[in-house]
Amino acid sequence: MHTVVELISLANEHLGTDLAPEDAGRDLAELACWDSVHLLRLVALLERELGRPIAVAEMLQARSLGEIWTAAVTA
């Protein structure tokens, strides 16, 4: 996984969301299909995909899918 678009595809495939690439910069609160359970499940998916632990505290501070992606790849 190398881009935020791949992160969105992962979420759509495994979380049942209907996100588009243009949603990457939108505030998570603006995404009708998003909730805190999705975030926790996405963290687990990212850990599996990246092969390492992800700091949940950093993910909780993220305000968009783009910020989630940045936090995941720079941790």
Side-chain angles (χ1 to χ4, degrees):
M1 184 176 327
H2 303 294
T3 67
V4 70
V5 174
E6 290 176 300
L7 171 90
I8 290 170
S9 293
L10 183 76
N12 288 339
E13 180 179 343
H14 295 280
L15 305 180
T17 55
D18 187 26
L19 300 164
E22 45 280 353
D23 291 326
R26 292 179 58 201
D27 193 282
L28 293 173
E30 295 176 8
L31 302 175
C33 63
W34 194 260
D35 61 30
S36 58
V37 174
H38 285 108
L39 177 62
L40 295 176
R41 291 180 60 206
L42 184 60
V43 169
L45 286 168
L46 284 168
E47 288 180 334
R48 186 178 73 207
E49 289 291 317
L50 298 173
R52 60 180 169 75
I54 301 291
V56 176
E58 289 182 29
M59 295 296 148
L60 292 173
Q61 294 177 358
R63 300 301 313 150
S64 69
L65 294 167
E67 288 181 14
I68 288 172
W69 172 248
T70 300
V73 298
T74 59

